[in-house]
Structure formats: C-alpha cells, structure tokens
Amino acid sequence: MMKRFFSFLLVLSTLLDAASAQTIYRSRKPGKESRPAAQNDTLPANSGSQAVAQGARANAVSARVGTKITQRGYRLEAKRVLDADQFGRNKYYSPNYRFSVDFNPMQSVAERRAQGVNLFSTWAHTEAEYNNLPFGDGFVYATEYGLHGPLEGAGYFERSLAAVEAHYQSLQSISGAQKGYWVANIENSNEWMPGSYDAPMPGYPYGGYGRGKFPEPWSSARKKTITLESTGEPNVTLETLAARGFAAWNREMITRRTNRIVLMLEIARRRSPAGAWIAYGASMYQGEPKLSNAYSTSVFQDGYADVSHIGGDADGNITLNGRRYQIKGDIYSHETFHLDYYYQFNFRMDKEEYTDIWINRNPTKQNYPAIWAAIKPRHVVADQKGHWQANRYRMKNRPGQSVRGTVCMRELQYEADKAGYVEGVPYPNDLIARVPPTMNTGCLDFLNGGDPCDDQPKIWIPPYEMYSYYAVHRFLEGGTPGAGFHIFHAPARFDPNREAGYNHEYHAVTALFQARNELQPYEKFFDSSTLVEDPEIQIGGRGAWSAYDGIQAYNYDGKGKYGPQKPAYSLRFQPTATGYQVLILGGMNQGWTDERTDNVRYQFPGMAEPVVFSVRLRGPAAQFFEFNVNKTDAGQIYTALPPAISASEKAGYAGRILTP
C-alpha cells in the first residue's frame, strides 16, 4: 500500500511542478499520512527530514533534502515606476550591514526605511532629513571640489603640507562622519605630471599642465619652487625635478599624495564621534579579479607617507600650524572600513541582436527588458566573490592593514562610454555606446553641465547582475561591523515624472530590493554564522575534489584572455540543537535556462565525516540553498535539486518573475 501511495505522489508531483514552486517530500511516523509539502507550508521545507528524491524509486530514501531560496516573486513595474513595497515593509535588518541606494524618486527617509534602506546619503535626501538621522544611519560621500576647492589639482601638489593642512582646517566639508559614514572621493588630485598637455615631455606618460584642474601653462608653472618631501631638498624648481626623469618625479608625487591623503583622513577621524566609519574613496584592488595581480599586496594609489624630511620624525610625528599629527603608513591603514568601489565597464552581445536593436531598431526591442535579454550572461558570482577576496587578501597580507568591513559601491549603469562589444565584428568592436535613441529615454542634462546634450544615457546593467552583486556581498560579509552596500547614482534624488532621462524601466534598482528581501530571513543568521569562503567542490558531481577561490573560478589572466571558468561556491553554517544550519551560495557563467549539478563538501566540527551537498544551479545569477544537517549523520548526501519553473523565469533577471 505504501509503495503505491508514494508512486501516486511522484506522479502527482510531475503534474504540480509545471505550476508550483519546489515540492519537498518528508516522511511521517508509521500509520500517518504522508503528503507533499509546498515551499510555503507551515513546516519549513529545509527541515532536514528524510525525503524521497525526485526521480528515485518510490520506496527509496536516498538523501536529505534542502531548499533553494526564493522567498518572493518580483512583479515587474512599468516605466518610471519603482515598487520596492511589493516585497513587504518594516522587516528586521541587521545594523551591521548597511544598505544605501542613491536612486530616490522623492521618497522620505521613513518610506525608504520601511522598504529596507538603512543607510541614507546626503545626496539622496534633504538637509533636514539628514540632520535628523540617528548616528550610524548617515553616509557622506565627500566630493573633491568640496574638500580641496581652489587647491584641487595643481595647488594640492604644489603647496606645502602645512599650507594644505591650514586649508583642511578651514573646511567644514571635512566634518567627519557625524552621522556614521564618511568617504573622501578624490578625482583630480590623484596624479601630477610635468609638461604641457599638448606636448608631453619625453619619458612621461602624458603632460599634466594646461588643462582641467592644472590650467596654468607649463611654461610658467615649471618655474615654481618646492621643498621635496621625498628627500628634503629645498628650493627645487618643477622644471629641475622633471629633468631628473620620471622615477624621481613619480617618487615625489607619491610621497606628497600619500602625506596629504593620510592627513585628510586623520583630520576626518579627529572630527568624528567614536565608532565612526572613515574610508578613502577607492578600492585597494581595482577591477575584475585577475590571476596576474589578485594575490599581490600592491594597492591602488600605492605608497607610504614620509614626513621625516620636512620636520617630522621617523615615526611620522609632525607639528603643522601648531597641531600635532602622526602621518605614517599607507592611505588604507587609516581607514575604519573599506569602500569596495567596483564599477562594471563592458558587456558582450551577438551581432544579430546588436543589428536588430541598434541598426534595424526593431520596435519590439526598444526597451530595457529586450536589451538585458540580449546581453550575454557572465560569471557575476565569481567576479564579485573574486574581487572581494582580492581586497581581503590585501587586508590580511599587506603590512599595516587589518581585516575590516567593506561597503560595496556599484553604479546602475555601465561605466564605459562605449560599453558594448559585438561578437563577430573585427576589433575594435566596442560599437554600442548608449541606449538607442528610439527608446525615447530623453537626455540627462546634468551630464553636460546643464546644457542640452546630444547624447543618450548610458546603458543600465541587467537586473540579475544587480541582484547578484548585493546577494554575494551580503553573504560574504555576514555580520562584519561597518559593512554594507551602496549604489552611487546622480542625480540621487529626483522626480521621475519630470526627468526626461528616466523614461524607462527601473528594474535594475528593484532587483536590489528583491535580493535584500529574499535574504532577509537570514539577517540574524548572517550575524552569528561562520563563513567558509572556499569549500571543496566536485565539479559536475564527479571526479576529484578541489577547493578554489573566486579568482580561480573567474580565470582571467588580466591581459584579455579568459580561461575555462568554474562554478563559484561559498558556505555559511551555525550550530543547532541537532547539528548545523547551512546556507550555500553558488553561481556559474551559463545560459539563462542552462543547468548544472555540483557537489559541495565540508567537514563540520564534531562530525565523523565531511558532509556532501548536491546542488543544482540554473541560469547565471547568484543562488542560495539551505540545509539542516544532523550531527549524527555519516556518509549522508544532502540534495537541493529543484525543478525548473520556466513560467517564472525571464532572461536578464534573477529569482521568480511574476507576470502582471
């Protein structure tokens, strides 16, 4: 009788799979009826109970079954509409992980807080709203113009350190993190080069003077004298220093830049309350994870402060205008959190899709969902994980560094002006510059200083990538104090009905709220669980086991060549009364409906043997699987092999997509 009943359930499940979410089977005590438990049943589908595996013989109990995490469906909005409320309101989110989105269609702090935002920038809210925030909830992304004013560029390098300190002391923009977080964004004072912009000096990569923030002609600027901070030599003209060659000039530039940024960060820290979060506005590691330099301890804007030649001692102690400072180490050793600044530059598309959208201007494809479906999938999980690990490597291995929370900062659009590469077109093939004009998105006037512009807005990143950026970073950071996620966008606060440039779908923004809400049930778990960055993987469920990181999974040499990529996995666990609660993150570069099954293995404390988890990935987005491991198990395989629900899938998106 029981055999026939289980057989009936297996037939029934086949009929239900086409219309329902993952079906989990669990056993009952003898004499009790056994029935399928849907994902939203009162007993959690991840209960760790014995279950009949899909496709197994009716009386077999071959594995313990886990759950693929997809808590809520996402109902796509019309143009100019952002509906974050659809995922629910007023949920708990850990204060250890902050969420900030500088894309605010005129909503109040209270409205956005109810949606899950718990970090609010000065750019996205009114001054009154910002001033009323409690400590910890405010985010200042200080622009260089506000920090340096007339010193921005040339004056920053040409003036003495004491003159720069006096300027900093006069600025209220270095108010520090009065409401929680403060970041210094330096754009034009990162490099200093001699010579004319129109006629670079031999041996130098470019000429710096005669343009932008270095407006003075080199013919007059070269006569200025400075005291070299790298050696202490006084009264050296810029022309004399330049004549000594690039190495000498570069050494002085790096010393002056590091001395000034360290000074700025120290002033910001002094002016901030206890417990404030201070960071330099650039990631130590830049760009895609590269095998060529990911495991190096070099950093962006490398160099160490040195004031020993200008009145300071060997330990960096120096008095400037009657105020005592310690200026030593590199830029990043003066942070209390790290800004994981990472912008996506490019995408790829088949020639046929490019021709249909941009050349023939197919009217059915002049919209973002069509463009996102045409953009080729990429290994977004390994990319995000590998970039995070490259920064983490430097925190662990670079002298003066410490492991600290990171705030991942992303943009909504591709950064490059020509972002799209077209397959099948001879190099250079970066043909896709902006959205097609027939999309009628209008023009963002601020791009050209408020003047009517003749270019279309940059192309927005597909929702599945935005979803994965947040989800991967949230998983990896866990409960690390100071960590978070920030979307940088300008204008940050706007009326979507008045801005012509926003006549399109905002699904890339909503996908962030989708990811945040799907992982919300694990907020307390993230605070208390242990991260296993690189568990052992059996690729394809067969062959040898190996542990590898996101950098190796991404497999990019840094010179334009991508090798065969591997699925990327990480694992989190925490003890329970009977064993362990386990959450697995996975992702692979594959097509929208492609599937793969891999095995993940980890040796939990107190268990006789490693536990094996067999999980199925579908599509390229980040995916999560939850299991309850019984400590008494030995040689048990845990499975999460959810059936495909094609009706709730959409190319370019992640999770369950609901039809209107």
Short mmCIF file of all heavy atoms in Angstrom, two decimals, residues 193-216:
data_model
loop_
_atom_site.label_atom_id
_atom_site.label_comp_id
_atom_site.label_asym_id
_atom_site.label_seq_id
_atom_site.Cartn_x
_atom_site.Cartn_y
_atom_site.Cartn_z
N MET A 193 51.68 65.38 -13.17
CA MET A 193 52.68 65.18 -14.22
C MET A 193 53.19 66.51 -14.75
O MET A 193 52.42 67.46 -14.90
CB MET A 193 52.08 64.37 -15.38
CG MET A 193 51.86 62.91 -15.07
SD MET A 193 53.40 62.00 -14.87
CE MET A 193 52.83 60.61 -13.88
N PRO A 194 54.49 66.59 -15.06
CA PRO A 194 55.04 67.82 -15.63
C PRO A 194 54.73 67.91 -17.12
O PRO A 194 54.16 66.99 -17.70
CB PRO A 194 56.54 67.65 -15.39
CG PRO A 194 56.76 66.17 -15.53
CD PRO A 194 55.53 65.54 -14.93
N GLY A 195 55.11 69.01 -17.72
CA GLY A 195 54.96 69.16 -19.15
C GLY A 195 53.59 69.65 -19.55
O GLY A 195 52.66 69.72 -18.75
N SER A 196 53.46 69.99 -20.81
CA SER A 196 52.22 70.51 -21.36
C SER A 196 51.32 69.37 -21.82
O SER A 196 51.79 68.37 -22.35
CB SER A 196 52.52 71.43 -22.55
OG SER A 196 51.34 71.78 -23.22
N TYR A 197 50.02 69.56 -21.62
CA TYR A 197 49.06 68.55 -22.06
C TYR A 197 49.19 68.32 -23.57
O TYR A 197 49.06 67.19 -24.04
CB TYR A 197 47.64 69.01 -21.72
CG TYR A 197 46.57 68.06 -22.21
CD1 TYR A 197 46.22 66.94 -21.46
CD2 TYR A 197 45.90 68.30 -23.41
CE1 TYR A 197 45.24 66.06 -21.90
CE2 TYR A 197 44.92 67.42 -23.87
CZ TYR A 197 44.59 66.31 -23.11
OH TYR A 197 43.63 65.44 -23.56
N ASP A 198 49.45 69.37 -24.31
CA ASP A 198 49.55 69.26 -25.76
C ASP A 198 50.92 68.77 -26.22
O ASP A 198 51.05 68.35 -27.38
CB ASP A 198 49.27 70.63 -26.41
CG ASP A 198 47.85 71.09 -26.16
OD1 ASP A 198 46.94 70.23 -26.15
OD2 ASP A 198 47.65 72.30 -25.95
N ALA A 199 51.92 68.82 -25.34
CA ALA A 199 53.27 68.39 -25.74
C ALA A 199 53.94 67.71 -24.55
O ALA A 199 54.75 68.33 -23.84
CB ALA A 199 54.09 69.59 -26.23
N PRO A 200 53.63 66.45 -24.30
CA PRO A 200 54.22 65.73 -23.15
C PRO A 200 55.75 65.68 -23.24
O PRO A 200 56.33 65.65 -24.33
CB PRO A 200 53.62 64.34 -23.27
CG PRO A 200 52.38 64.51 -24.10
CD PRO A 200 52.69 65.62 -25.04
N MET A 201 56.39 65.68 -22.08
CA MET A 201 57.84 65.59 -22.03
C MET A 201 58.28 64.16 -22.33
O MET A 201 57.59 63.20 -21.97
CB MET A 201 58.35 66.01 -20.65
CG MET A 201 58.08 67.46 -20.31
SD MET A 201 58.67 67.90 -18.65
CE MET A 201 60.45 67.64 -18.85
N PRO A 202 59.41 63.99 -22.99
CA PRO A 202 59.93 62.65 -23.26
C PRO A 202 60.11 61.87 -21.95
O PRO A 202 60.60 62.41 -20.96
CB PRO A 202 61.27 62.91 -23.94
CG PRO A 202 61.13 64.26 -24.55
CD PRO A 202 60.26 65.03 -23.59
N GLY A 203 59.69 60.61 -21.94
CA GLY A 203 59.84 59.77 -20.76
C GLY A 203 58.68 59.82 -19.79
O GLY A 203 58.68 59.10 -18.78
N TYR A 204 57.67 60.65 -20.09
CA TYR A 204 56.50 60.77 -19.21
C TYR A 204 55.26 60.28 -19.96
O TYR A 204 55.15 60.46 -21.17
CB TYR A 204 56.30 62.22 -18.76
CG TYR A 204 57.33 62.66 -17.74
CD1 TYR A 204 58.56 63.17 -18.14
CD2 TYR A 204 57.07 62.53 -16.39
CE1 TYR A 204 59.52 63.57 -17.21
CE2 TYR A 204 58.01 62.93 -15.44
CZ TYR A 204 59.23 63.43 -15.86
OH TYR A 204 60.17 63.81 -14.94
N PRO A 205 54.31 59.65 -19.24
CA PRO A 205 53.13 59.08 -19.93
C PRO A 205 52.23 60.12 -20.56
O PRO A 205 51.55 59.85 -21.53
CB PRO A 205 52.41 58.31 -18.81
CG PRO A 205 52.88 58.92 -17.53
CD PRO A 205 54.30 59.34 -17.79
N TYR A 206 52.18 61.32 -19.99
CA TYR A 206 51.37 62.39 -20.54
C TYR A 206 51.82 63.71 -19.92
O TYR A 206 52.56 63.74 -18.93
CB TYR A 206 49.88 62.16 -20.31
CG TYR A 206 49.47 62.14 -18.84
CD1 TYR A 206 49.07 63.30 -18.18
CD2 TYR A 206 49.48 60.94 -18.12
CE1 TYR A 206 48.69 63.27 -16.85
CE2 TYR A 206 49.10 60.90 -16.79
CZ TYR A 206 48.71 62.06 -16.15
OH TYR A 206 48.35 62.04 -14.83
N GLY A 207 51.37 64.82 -20.51
CA GLY A 207 51.64 66.13 -19.95
C GLY A 207 50.48 66.57 -19.08
O GLY A 207 49.31 66.42 -19.46
N GLY A 208 50.78 67.14 -17.92
CA GLY A 208 49.72 67.44 -16.97
C GLY A 208 49.20 68.85 -16.99
O GLY A 208 48.05 69.09 -16.57
N TYR A 209 49.98 69.80 -17.47
CA TYR A 209 49.61 71.22 -17.33
C TYR A 209 48.95 71.77 -18.60
O TYR A 209 49.18 71.29 -19.70
CB TYR A 209 50.85 72.05 -16.98
CG TYR A 209 51.24 71.93 -15.52
CD1 TYR A 209 52.00 70.86 -15.06
CD2 TYR A 209 50.83 72.88 -14.59
CE1 TYR A 209 52.35 70.73 -13.73
CE2 TYR A 209 51.16 72.77 -13.26
CZ TYR A 209 51.93 71.70 -12.82
OH TYR A 209 52.27 71.58 -11.49
N GLY A 210 48.09 72.79 -18.37
CA GLY A 210 47.43 73.46 -19.48
C GLY A 210 46.03 72.95 -19.75
O GLY A 210 45.45 73.25 -20.81
N ARG A 211 45.44 72.20 -18.77
CA ARG A 211 44.09 71.68 -18.98
C ARG A 211 43.47 71.28 -17.64
O ARG A 211 44.17 70.89 -16.71
CB ARG A 211 44.13 70.46 -19.92
CG ARG A 211 42.77 69.86 -20.20
CD ARG A 211 42.85 68.82 -21.29
NE ARG A 211 41.58 68.10 -21.43
CZ ARG A 211 41.17 67.52 -22.53
NH1 ARG A 211 41.92 67.56 -23.60
NH2 ARG A 211 40.03 66.87 -22.57
N GLY A 212 42.13 71.37 -17.57
CA GLY A 212 41.39 70.89 -16.41
C GLY A 212 41.81 71.57 -15.12
O GLY A 212 41.87 72.81 -15.03
N LYS A 213 42.12 70.78 -14.10
CA LYS A 213 42.48 71.30 -12.79
C LYS A 213 43.95 71.67 -12.69
O LYS A 213 44.45 72.03 -11.62
CB LYS A 213 42.12 70.29 -11.71
CG LYS A 213 40.62 70.01 -11.62
CD LYS A 213 39.83 71.28 -11.26
CE LYS A 213 38.35 71.01 -11.19
NZ LYS A 213 37.58 72.23 -10.81
N PHE A 214 44.66 71.58 -13.81
CA PHE A 214 46.05 72.05 -13.91
C PHE A 214 46.11 73.07 -15.05
O PHE A 214 46.78 72.87 -16.06
CB PHE A 214 47.00 70.88 -14.18
CG PHE A 214 47.06 69.87 -13.08
CD1 PHE A 214 46.09 68.89 -12.94
CD2 PHE A 214 48.11 69.88 -12.16
CE1 PHE A 214 46.14 67.96 -11.92
CE2 PHE A 214 48.18 68.95 -11.14
CZ PHE A 214 47.19 67.99 -11.01
N PRO A 215 45.38 74.20 -14.90
CA PRO A 215 45.18 75.10 -16.04
C PRO A 215 46.40 75.93 -16.42
O PRO A 215 46.50 76.40 -17.57
CB PRO A 215 44.03 75.99 -15.57
CG PRO A 215 44.16 76.01 -14.07
CD PRO A 215 44.65 74.64 -13.71
N GLU A 216 47.31 76.15 -15.49
CA GLU A 216 48.44 77.02 -15.78
C GLU A 216 49.34 76.40 -16.85
O GLU A 216 49.62 75.20 -16.81
CB GLU A 216 49.25 77.24 -14.50
CG GLU A 216 50.40 78.24 -14.67
CD GLU A 216 51.16 78.49 -13.38
OE1 GLU A 216 50.81 77.85 -12.36
OE2 GLU A 216 52.09 79.31 -13.39
#
